Amino acid sequence: MDPLKALADAERKPYWLDSPARPGPTPRLTANTTADLVVVGGGFSGLWTALMAKERDPSLDVVLLEGRRIGWAATGRNGGFCMATLTHGLANGLERWPEEIDRLERMGVENLDEIERTLDRYGVDCSFDRTGELHVATEPWQVESLNEHLDLISELGLDYVPLDRDQVRAEVGSPTYLAGLWERSGCAMLDPARLAWGLRAACLRLGVRVHERTPVRSMRDDGGTISLRTPYGVVTARRVALGTGVFPPLLRRLRHFVVPVYDYALMTEPLTADQLASVGWHNRQGVGDSGNRFHYYRLSDDNRILWGGYDAVYYNGGLVKAEYEQRDETFVKLAGHFYDTFPQLADVRFTHRWGGVIDTCSRFSAFYGQAHGGRLVYAAGYTGMGVGATRFGANVMLDLLSGEPTERTGLRMVREKPIPFPPEPVRSGVIQFTRWSIAQADQHEGRRNLWLRALDRMGLGFDS
């Protein structure tokens, strides 16, 4: 089908948030108040922090402030891949923290296990399904890199299964697949919006005071406390945790480490039984291809296909704007790639198209820190893989606030910061040239030019 025709009736809104299950907003903050802990941000980072703070100490008075609605930003716009990795994949973790990789992989799997147990404990129905993720090679040069770390994977006891061309096509039927690597237990598929709403319900049940439509305008250190000013009230707290992602930070230093990168996705109409049979996909894994500019895709409960990725767009100046959430050039490109991958689905149309902003940092995985004498903590920079890792990050923030050393806070990954991005306008020039170089690498069998190799040596990068 012509991509323009296939997109003609697609709603310009995130599929996950377009649901009758979406709860009404909690009340705005309309008076001055105090709290033991204020959590700023109602995405996964803030929700996990608030929930686990109450689990650690039920007597704590915890307030969560969200500027708009719970889960409206990256939390409700992603692909719903809840991954065990804390390091944006094994290869990135191995390159940056090789001496910690065994612990990081173990702690990532434990974190995913704990997410599953938490959902069971609170009865959160978000279609959590531990299908694993299928990494596929679609170009000959990708096959070797796909299997590069098999020996280490075996040593770490990770559950990966290499697949040849026929085996991977038996899992998911695409003529573009040349090989695959099935990471069988390190990833779960879920509905991210329903996860966020379920965590909100759990927070409310434990006594967290949740105020939506309550943006924090400014922050002031009063000595022993920190005051957060909102449009209709001030919250004074002993401790503050920031989980605001890429949005303009209350802590100015964070703007040097995080840039807003826009990612885009489509959702198809539900497949018929015959259409689904033509693809196979009996094990319902999430799928990601292996280019530098990669696609990610998965099935929904009602057998739609979410299809996203490829273009990771940085708009010069680094602003976050609602108008950037729609990019027809990318939607048409994505639709064409979908039909190239699944020619047997040429009659399938799309019902939703949307974009969202990712908090990208130069090391591709979250970083952590403290300010105001240890009374404020933050976690940011998840770079598109935060559905699962935000729970680990929330635990890091709570560990830091406690002041007690833990295995988590002892990690070099936690103690170190990424290399900051240069200021504008140099930042825009560097990022756009890097994006061009990445596209060139994909067109030249993965060969990285001098610029990309120099960035690799410095530990810098750009990803989504």
Side-chain angles (χ1 to χ4, degrees):
M1 185 182 297
D2 175 72
L4 286 173
K5 182 179 179 182
L7 289 163
D9 299 321
E11 298 272 6
R12 293 182 179 273
K13 62 179 71 170
Y15 170 78
W16 306 116
L17 297 174
D18 186 21
S19 169
R22 188 178 192 180
T26 56
R28 291 180 172 90
L29 179 70
T30 57
N32 295 344
T33 189
T34 61
D36 295 316
L37 170 66
V38 172
V39 179
V40 184
F44 288 137
S45 189
L47 290 164
W48 281 117
T49 303
L51 180 67
M52 292 193 297
K54 290 293 284 186
E55 288 182 330
R56 290 186 181 202
D57 183 354
S59 71
L60 276 183
D61 182 14
V62 179
V63 170
L64 187 151
L65 303 175
E66 163 54 46
R68 294 179 64 173
R69 298 284 298 279
I70 292 294
W72 76 276
T75 287
R77 297 165 186 261
N78 61 78
F81 287 60
C82 187
M83 300 177 180
T85 182
L86 306 174
T87 61
H88 206 274
L90 177 62
N92 189 55
L94 186 62
E95 178 182 340
R96 298 177 188 278
W97 305 286
E99 79 284 3
E100 294 182 343
I101 195 64
D102 56 342
R103 283 196 290 162
L104 290 168
E105 289 294 314
R106 170 181 57 78
M107 294 169 84
V109 172
E110 290 172 353
N111 183 63
L112 185 58
D113 291 342
E114 289 162 2
I115 289 173
E116 187 169 10
R117 287 194 289 269
T118 300
L119 303 185
D120 289 342
R121 187 162 66 250
Y122 291 104
V124 176
D125 179 9
C126 61
S127 300
F128 184 97
D129 188 4
R130 206 150 173 175
T131 61
E133 182 178 5
L134 188 62
H135 308 272
V136 298
T138 58
E139 297 287 345
W141 64 269
Q142 297 170 8
V143 175
E144 182 178 352
S145 63
L146 196 67
N147 297 319
E148 181 179 2
H149 300 298
L150 284 181
D151 289 345
L152 177 63
I153 286 168
S154 178
E155 289 176 19
L156 294 174
L158 303 176
D159 189 9
Y160 285 62
V161 178
L163 304 171
D164 63 23
R165 190 192 73 165
D166 292 341
Q167 290 170 324
V168 71
R169 293 184 185 185
E171 289 293 330
V172 181
S174 172
T176 66
Y177 295 172
L178 302 179
L181 187 63
W182 183 6
E183 183 183 358
R184 292 203 300 186
S185 58
C187 183
M189 296 295 103
L190 53 75
D191 180 326
R194 281 164 45 211
L195 172 57
W197 301 333
L199 292 176
R200 186 191 85 149
C203 285
L204 292 170
R205 192 184 318 167
L206 294 188
V208 177
R209 291 185 281 156
V210 179
H211 296 287
E212 296 179 66
R213 302 172 297 173
T214 304
V216 178
R217 301 298 192 197
S218 64
M219 179 174 65
R220 186 184 70 222
D221 189 336
D222 300 319
T225 59
I226 297 174
S227 295
L228 302 165
R229 184 179 63 83
T230 76
Y232 305 109
V234 175
V235 186
T236 302
R238 295 191 300 111
R239 300 286 186 268
V240 174
L242 298 182
T244 52
V246 77
F247 291 94
L250 294 167
L251 194 64
R252 292 179 61 86
R253 72 183 68 164
L254 296 182
R255 67 186 62 187
H256 303 299
F257 296 103
V258 177
V259 297
V261 174
Y262 279 81
D263 178 61
Y264 298 92
L266 305 173
M267 185 68 96
T268 72
E269 62 192 350
L271 303 188
T272 66
D274 288 343
Q275 287 169 334
L276 183 58
S278 74
V279 179
W281 220 335
H282 305 295
N283 289 306
R284 305 183 71 86
Q285 311 97 320
V287 183
D289 57 35
S290 303
N292 292 295
R293 296 177 300 169
F294 60 91
H295 305 88
Y296 57 86
Y297 41 110
R298 49 80 57 95
L299 291 168
S300 67
D301 284 352
D302 58 351
N303 294 327
R304 301 169 186 263
I305 297 177
L306 182 147
W307 179 267
Y310 193 75
D311 276 347
V313 181
Y314 179 80
Y315 292 92
N316 289 343
L319 299 178
V320 177
K321 294 184 177 181
E323 63 200 67
Y324 294 159
E325 295 168 8
Q326 295 292 322
R327 192 171 192 262
D328 287 345
E329 173 188 351
T330 293
F331 295 141
V332 171
K333 188 185 302 180
L334 283 173
H337 295 172
F338 174 85
Y339 295 125
D340 291 342
T341 302
F342 296 120
Q344 66 271 48
L345 301 180
D347 295 332
V348 171
R349 302 172 68 95
F350 299 97
T351 63
H352 292 76
R353 50 180 151 178
W354 71 93
V357 63
I358 293 169
D359 59 336
T360 294
C361 74
S362 62
R363 73 183 197 182
F364 310 149
S365 54
F367 62 95
Y368 316 91
Q370 298 171 281
H372 297 286
R375 288 175 287 114
L376 180 145
V377 294
Y378 58 84
Y382 289 95
T383 316
M385 292 191 182
V387 177
T390 45
R391 183 187 180 279
F392 178 87
N395 263 321
V396 170
M397 287 195 283
L398 293 172
D399 289 349
L400 292 172
L401 285 176
S402 77
E404 295 295 326
T406 67
E407 183 180 17
R408 284 180 288 260
T409 59
L411 291 167
R412 184 163 66 88
M413 184 194 76
V414 168
R415 291 183 283 108
E416 293 181 345
K417 298 290 188 295
I419 296 173
F421 290 99
E424 292 287 5
V426 175
R427 177 179 295 188
S428 290
V430 166
I431 290 175
Q432 301 303 3
F433 185 65
T434 303
R435 292 181 66 239
W436 177 85
S437 297
I438 288 170
Q440 291 297 301
D442 277 341
Q443 294 171 21
H444 293 87
E445 299 182 337
R447 291 191 294 271
R448 298 170 75 79
N449 62 19
L450 287 172
W451 175 250
L452 292 180
R453 294 201 299 272
L455 292 181
D456 291 341
R457 287 193 295 272
M458 292 186 290
L460 282 166
F462 177 81
D463 205 345
S464 67

